[in-house]
Amino acid sequence: MISHRPVHRVAIVGTGTIGASWATHYLVRGFDVTATDPAPTAETALRSYVAAAWDAAASIGLVPGASLARLSFTADMRQAVAHADFVQENAPERPELKVGLFADIDDASPPDAIIASSSSGITMSVIQTECRRPERTVIGHPFNPPHIVPLVEVVGGKKTAPETIQDVMSFYAAIGKKPIHLKKELPGHVANRIQEALYREVVYLVQEGVLDVADSDAAVSWGPGLRWGVMGPHLLWHLGGGEGGIQHFMDTLMPRMVEAWQQLGTPEFTPELKDTIVDGVLKEANGHSVDELAARRDAMLSALLAVRAQHEPSPSEASGPEGKEQP
């Protein structure tokens, strides 16, 4: 059995887009945040990002005492993690870099602090290879941008303690995230694999000339994407089964879907296809900058989260009859 310290101070290691977004979220949730990054312009870029993202993040989960003033920065990684209760690492996706970095963080941070990686594809069993205390290391992979999107994928490595998984799940849930526990390690985790599978078919349809880039985006965002912003596919198929629910869907509709899987395509990603997608995206963007489009995205996501919060079941409704937890 291992125990971890209560979290009051968070260290952010790596302050690119994901690290800066994580810093924003932790600050809005009332933590003291110390960030570190070796880039010479990192502190300026970080503070600019946090200031720009603050209002959107605050509209979702501002807590009393939260303040931009609780953000500090140092280029010295060891100093940044020396007094941390929780470390969120966001370095580039290079296995050899993360292995060495985690060993250094493990050596410099308090022994009862948790060290989480935002890695989108490298498994924790690889990252924790050279750690002296691998039992307190874990993947805490967010969906971009973390200060808006609640999802966090939590998965341990071969040497991660079960208590670490439990504590990380509880911690993320307590700060407004929606953590999911992956019981097995696999490259890319889960959410990225799901969206990669969808995008493969979208790109195939574009390559086959079935529709253009803008219409393929519309097909997702104005159709299934709207529903997925409310419920996941299994629960939606339960509704699709009518009065018979998921059982009726599996008995009568699922066989057709299984047959349709055989018709899904794998595109050949040629230079011509790349140019088609680039040209189509720029046309769809219609002159708006990446920052402008990101601001539009974040505003709509914040509004969607507010609507979802209004319709979340109360504790008694979630527990079901006689207060019993539902499966």
Side-chain angles (χ1 to χ4, degrees):
M1 295 289 292
I2 63 172
S3 60
H4 302 106
R5 54 174 56 197
V7 180
H8 303 289
R9 295 175 297 276
V10 175
I12 300 292
V13 178
T15 60
T17 301
I18 298 299
S21 182
W22 264 126
T24 305
H25 181 78
Y26 286 122
L27 286 166
V28 163
R29 290 287 171 166
F31 294 95
D32 293 314
V33 175
T34 302
T36 184
D37 193 293
T41 61
E43 181 175 6
T44 299
L46 170 63
R47 292 189 183 279
S48 176
Y49 184 103
V50 173
W54 185 266
D55 288 346
S59 70
I60 297 171
L62 185 68
V63 303
S67 171
L68 287 165
R70 297 177 72 173
L71 172 63
S72 59
F73 183 91
T74 175
D76 186 337
M77 185 279 293
R78 299 182 70 88
Q79 180 182 339
V81 306
H83 303 289
D85 305 316
F86 191 95
V87 180
Q88 188 81 48
E89 172 273 324
N90 317 276
E93 290 287 293
R94 300 201 303 271
E96 70 284 357
L97 171 64
K98 286 190 183 287
V99 169
L101 180 59
F102 252 64
D104 290 342
I105 296 173
D106 180 40
D107 182 63
S109 59
D112 53 352
I114 289 174
I115 310 173
S117 175
S118 297
S119 176
S120 61
I122 307 170
T123 63
M124 183 46 61
S125 288
V126 171
I127 295 173
Q128 67 186 193
T129 303
E130 296 183 4
C131 291
R132 291 189 296 119
R133 304 180 188 87
E135 66 279 356
R136 45 91 168 250
T137 63
V138 66
I139 293 289
H141 173 242
F143 228 50
N144 190 35
H147 70 278
I148 299 289
V149 181
L151 180 68
V152 182
E153 298 174 315
V154 176
V155 54
K158 294 177 181 178
K159 298 179 181 179
T160 302
E163 294 87 355
T164 298
I165 298 292
Q166 296 168 8
D167 288 350
V168 169
M169 291 287 290
S170 297
F171 171 65
Y172 281 138
I175 62 169
K177 307 304 287 184
K178 293 292 184 182
I180 59 173
H181 177 208
L182 280 57
K183 298 174 178 62
K184 295 182 179 180
E185 291 183 290
L186 71 171
H189 313 315
V190 169
N192 277 337
R193 292 174 69 100
I194 292 171
Q195 69 175 4
E196 286 164 5
L198 171 65
Y199 193 56
R200 181 180 68 178
E201 182 64 16
V202 168
V203 171
Y204 173 77
L205 294 172
V206 170
Q207 184 173 58
E208 291 296 300
V210 176
L211 74 180
D212 62 22
V213 169
D215 281 345
S216 70
D217 277 353
V220 174
S221 65
W222 288 101
L226 277 178
R227 300 193 303 189
W228 292 333
V230 177
M231 296 178 182
H234 291 105
L235 198 54
L236 286 169
W237 293 154
H238 182 47
L239 304 184
E243 292 186 4
I246 190 63
Q247 186 66 57
H248 178 70
F249 183 92
M250 288 293 167
D251 291 341
T252 62
L253 299 175
M254 192 63 187
R256 300 182 206 170
M257 186 176 294
V258 173
E259 291 179 5
W261 287 346
Q262 310 307 314
Q263 302 171 24
L264 299 178
T266 299
E268 180 184 357
F269 196 70
T270 63
E272 293 77 18
L273 177 57
K274 181 181 71 173
D275 290 342
T276 295
I277 293 173
V278 170
D279 292 343
V281 169
L282 294 177
K283 182 179 179 181
E284 189 179 1
N286 196 28
H288 293 287
S289 70
V290 169
D291 287 344
E292 289 171 335
L293 293 171
R296 181 191 305 174
R297 174 202 62 192
D298 293 350
M300 287 191 284
L301 287 172
S302 298
L304 173 60
L305 289 171
V307 171
R308 287 199 59 159
Q310 295 174 5
H311 293 273
E312 288 293 321
S314 66
S316 60
E317 291 173 327
S319 297
E322 299 181 3
K324 296 179 180 178
E325 289 293 333
Q326 296 301 293

